[in-house]
Amino acid sequence: MIKILYITRNMNKIREIEKILRKLFKEEIFSVEAPSSDIEIIEIQSDDLADIALYTLRKALEKINMEKWDIIMREDSGLFIEALNGFPGPYSSYVYKKIGLDGVLKLLERHENRRAFFKAVVAYKIKGIDDTFISSGEVYGVISREARGLEGFGFDPIFIPDGYDKTFAELGEDIKIMLSHRTKAILKAIDHYLKTVSNKLYHISVE
Ligand code: ITT
């Protein structure tokens, strides 16, 4: 079992990742866990999701026993709206809490351009390697005229991915995870991990 520690308090993220890894790798070769509540998740404000994710990861690594985990990941995501010059972007969490979906829809009331994208940046550490790494993923679409659908979380009820006419919250998790920014970012990190491990195995086998 490849053990992933995913540094988040948002259990929706954990559920999505478990689901996509089970779907793509068929057997359960990955386990995904959130840190215990005594591990503080320290966040900074910045214009750059990568800076934010790396800072939190490095702070958490000071407190975590790396021996227990194969990969430790911290992800920061944001919704970038074209007509608002990329706002809320790295400030998405704050905006979501302060003005919610209705507030975002109001900001866009007079805008014809509804283009937007979600971006996820994953900062991660692989057991046995000193460096920390970054991977990212995006999904493009438009902001709906009203909130629709019951599944998902956060901005899912107002985001319609390209190629569909329903929001993520209407499409449901099984479709969302096949398209999402989070899935793309995580699969790049997993791919890197698997290559690292297989390189190590290769070195062992030729020695
Ligand atoms: P953690 O910091 O504990 O991981 P969070 O929900 O605050 O949880 P982010 O900072 O990555 O995570 O997310 C910023 C905001 O964007 C937050 O309000 C989320 O609800 C929203 N968000 C992130 N990913 C999303 C997704 O896949 N679908 C809809 N909204 C999302």
Side-chain angles (χ1 to χ4, degrees), residues 8-10 13 74 77 96 153 155-156 176 181-182:
T8 183
R9 296 277 174 250
N10 184 340
K13 291 183 175 181
R74 165 66 187 178
S77 288
Y96 182 77
F153 68 98
F155 298 103
D156 284 343
K176 179 189 172 187
H181 50 308
R182 177 163 303 106

Side-chain angles (χ1 to χ4, degrees), residues 6-10 13 16 41 43 49 74-79 89-97 118-119 152-157 159 168 176 180-182:
Y6 209 79
I7 301 168
T8 183
R9 296 277 174 250
N10 184 340
K13 291 183 175 181
E16 286 187 5
I41 297 181
E43 296 185 65
L49 286 177
R74 165 66 187 178
E75 169 223 318
D76 276 285
S77 288
L79 177 66
Y91 307 100
S92 293
S93 186
Y94 184 73
V95 165
Y96 182 77
K97 283 186 208 138
F118 274 117
K119 178 169 183 167
F153 68 98
F155 298 103
D156 284 343
F159 183 81
F168 265 159
K176 179 189 172 187
S180 92
H181 50 308
R182 177 163 303 106

